[in-house]
């Protein structure tokens, strides 16, 4: 089997740039080859088809977002919720291309066509994440009077809505946005 000569991360970065500029439908094998400046063999060596490429793009973004978020679930539940909301904004500031992937939503990546291994990876990580969110939800509800709906709105939906305005307009996320979101979360849950 031939050896890969181009970096997988650089190929996925190129796919992310296309997605951020033009949306998921424009992430085609030909477009990624052009954007990454790689021979078609280098792309097809790693990703036999578009579904495999889209799966890798989604799973990489999820892994990036989740990896540093898990430790935030510890400690005081309200502070953990506020930290998670702020982390979401800061991660999106630091990783705008990957944030575009998550903001597009899983369904836009044709998950029904993904290779089995990619689906298994996504399912396992989703289960782990959902259990962490459920645990945080139970802990916050045990110490406050907020409903699950309120909690998910301010801790999960608010940070994404706050950054979407800027990312979808191609503008930088304001430096103070994480602090603003944190304040809203604390006020809402306090």
């Amino acid at each position: 089997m031939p050896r890969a000569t181009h970096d997988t991360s650089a190929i996925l970065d190129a796919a992310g740039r296309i997605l951020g500029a033009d949306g998921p439908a424009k992430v085609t094998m030909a477009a990624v080859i052009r954007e990454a400046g790689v021979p078609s063999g280098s792309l097809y060596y790693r990703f036999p088809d578009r579904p495999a490429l889209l799966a890798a793009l989604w799973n990489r973004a999820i892994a990036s977002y989740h990896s540093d978020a898990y430790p935030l679930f510890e400690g005081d539940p309200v502070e953990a919720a506020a930290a998670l909301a702020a982390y979401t904004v800061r991660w999106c500031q630091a990783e705008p291309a990957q944030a575009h992937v998550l903001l597009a939503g899983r369904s836009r990546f044709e998950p029904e066509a993904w290779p089995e291994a990619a689906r298994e990876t996504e399912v396992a990580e989703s289960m782990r994440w959902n259990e962490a969110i459920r645990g945080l939800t139970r802990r916050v509800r045990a110490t406050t009077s907020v409903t699950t709906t309120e909690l998910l709105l301010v801790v999960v939906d608010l940070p994404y809505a706050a950054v979407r305005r800027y990312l979808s307009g191609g503008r930088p996320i304001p430096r103070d946005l994480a602090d603003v979101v944190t304040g809203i979360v604390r006020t809402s849950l306090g």
Side-chain angles (χ1 to χ4, degrees), residues 72-136:
L72 302 175
F73 287 88
E74 304 301 319
D76 175 80
V78 171
E79 285 306 308
L84 181 60
Y87 168 78
T88 299
V89 173
R90 288 187 181 110
W91 180 82
C92 291
Q93 287 171 318
E95 299 287 346
Q98 299 215 63
H100 279 290
V101 171
L102 297 189
L103 291 172
R106 179 182 175 273
S107 65
R108 304 271 316 268
F109 289 82
E110 303 169 16
E112 65 284 348
W114 290 358
E116 185 63 29
R119 280 193 306 250
E120 289 172 1
T121 297
E122 190 272 334
V123 165
E125 183 53 32
S126 289
M127 288 174 56
R128 180 179 179 214
W129 182 256
N130 290 340
E131 184 54 39
I133 292 289
R134 279 192 296 274
L136 180 60

Side-chain angles (χ1 to χ4, degrees), residues 5 26 30 38 43 50 54-55 66 93 96-97 101 119 141 143-144 148 155 159 163 167 170-172 177 183 186 188:
T5 57
K26 298 295 184 176
V38 299
L43 179 63
R50 184 171 183 267
L54 292 175
H66 289 180
Q93 287 171 318
V101 171
R119 280 193 306 250
R141 297 227 28 239
T143 62
T144 70
T148 300
V155 176
V163 298
L167 290 175
R171 296 175 312 199
L177 188 60
R186 285 186 179 131
S188 298

Side-chain angles (χ1 to χ4, degrees), residues 171-190:
R171 296 175 312 199
I173 297 169
R175 288 188 183 142
D176 67 337
L177 188 60
D179 294 333
V180 171
V181 166
T182 301
I184 292 169
V185 171
R186 285 186 179 131
T187 300
S188 298
L189 301 182

Side-chain angles (χ1 to χ4, degrees), residues 140-158:
V140 170
R141 297 227 28 239
T143 62
T144 70
S145 62
V146 299
T147 66
T148 300
T149 303
E150 290 172 299
L151 175 66
L152 294 176
L153 177 67
V154 296
V155 176
V156 178
D157 299 335
L158 171 65

